[in-house]
Amino acid sequence: MLQLETVSKTYRNGFTALEPIDLRIEAGERVAIVGSSGCGKSTLLRLAAGLCPPSTGRVLLHGRPVIKPEPSVGFIFQEPRLMPWLTVEQNVAFGLRGPARHRHASVSSALLRVGLTAYGHYYPKQLSGGMAQRVAIARALASAPQLILLDEPFSALDAIKRAELQEHFLQLWESEQLSTLIVTHDVEEAIVLADRILVMQPHPGRITEELRLDLPLDNCREAPGFEALKKQLIQSLRPPSVGAGQTGADPVPFAVAHAIHG
Amino acid sequence: MTTLTNVVTDRAPRRRLRGRLRAFRGARALALPLLILLIWQVVQARAVVPTNLLPTPSSVLETIGTLASTGELAEHIAITSWRVLQGFLLGAVAATVLGSITGVSRTARELIDPLLQSLRSIPSLAWVPLFILWLGIYEPSKVALIAVGAFFPVYLSLTQGLLDVDRKLVEVGRMVGFNRLDLVRCILIPAALPAYVTGLRGGLGLAWMFVVAAEVMGASKGLGFLLVDGQQTGRASLILASILLFALLGKLTDGLLSLLSQRLLQWQDSHSLQAA
């Protein structure tokens, strides 16, 4: 579905944010990219969204090159980014096209899915952080995208709200079978939300490891192997010099891990 | 969640409370001026300062009353307000057009903005001789001067308001596939609206200042003319009457504009689904 072919990004000042990266996301797949701050993971996501052009390589959606943002791709930002002058309903309808009746139906069903039907006429300033982010999710869902890109979508929330929204998002994913690409620095979030995890290292940004997970969707935090997987991921996030002993890490029962770039 | 339920359940009492508070604040705004007038009246009734230099408030009111009874006052107010309105509209419209262009397009900004900024640093009264030379001593030169005064606050606020629009909101627009026009219409304009309204109010304030300058330069009617008339005939009460009327009219028109803009912003808000 989404394909990145030797995509790299070097800024005008000569800073290489991203080394050439190849990445393929199949329909219905949930992929997470984990990395510490400044490793280029957000850049990768912006390139995939068509928000900024890559320095080399190309981004393909269904085999067609992405030059500007595509309507079939939704983006959920780190912050809700709601228009303060629009109500919840109008924010969810933002950018929707087509006849008013269809738009109205899409908005209602999106609000229903995030459980905010009763708040359609509220303004963003009247919402809590978690609710505002749910509105942002509804806005991304309303356009019925095939692929959703998420940039640390729950990082601004407290731990309880975050876990709640993650659960919520999983339910949505189950019912919609969306393809998702999520970028996060939170190892746990990656394990909960993805079935494939890419580990990124900074200076320059590159993918150093790929894991396929096979954890159950429900209560995956309680699943055996979760803690071991978490430990392993944290280990792989460390800079290579520190994590030199990672070959000795415990085997992970539910994951097939293999290094891409050593 | 608690705040939300509060909003729902406490709406009516809170509104009532807010109304009462507002009325109280309004009364507070009047307290100090009234006190000053009272002291002034009491002191000047004993003519501490010669009353031909500092008349009592009551004689100022009397002057206004006399002017009003002959119908002269209405004429002065009408002509001055008309000049302000014309000049303000001319300046504000020009500023809106130029400000939105320079606020949205970088190229236009680089071309136009430096010139306008340098024009801004010209003392506005320096235009008077030129305007009189070009447009004559009657209405057009006065309106032009007021327009110059009203132009800059509106222009500056609008440009800045457009430039200050959050990049993050603009990105949301790009993500949903907006073109440039959609971005301007659905994100830039509503986001810059509060700044624009501030600019309009500033522009109207300056229009009232510039009408005085224009009328003092040469006019046979208007509140500014009353100032000159009062000076030349040695009637301080006439000068004070004119000043008082300027204060009242300025405050009144600003209040009107602010009320109107509230409506405008409210309309933006209630603009429902079809906006998107």
Side-chain angles (χ1 to χ4, degrees), chain B residues 46-58:
Chain B
R46 294 183 180 81
V48 175
V49 180
T51 45
N52 62 331
L53 293 182
L54 186 63
T56 57
S58 58

Side-chain angles (χ1 to χ4, degrees), chain B residues 161-200:
Chain B
L162 287 167
L163 289 176
D164 286 344
V165 174
D166 195 348
R167 173 190 60 83
K168 292 172 177 168
L169 295 185
V170 176
E171 253 175 31
V172 172
R174 287 183 58 204
M175 233 17 251
V176 300
F178 274 1
N179 59 31
R180 231 176 134 70
L181 193 68
D182 289 332
L183 283 179
V184 172
R185 200 168 53 91
C186 297
I187 299 179
L188 292 182
I189 289 178
L193 207 61
Y196 179 55
V197 165
T198 308
L200 283 178

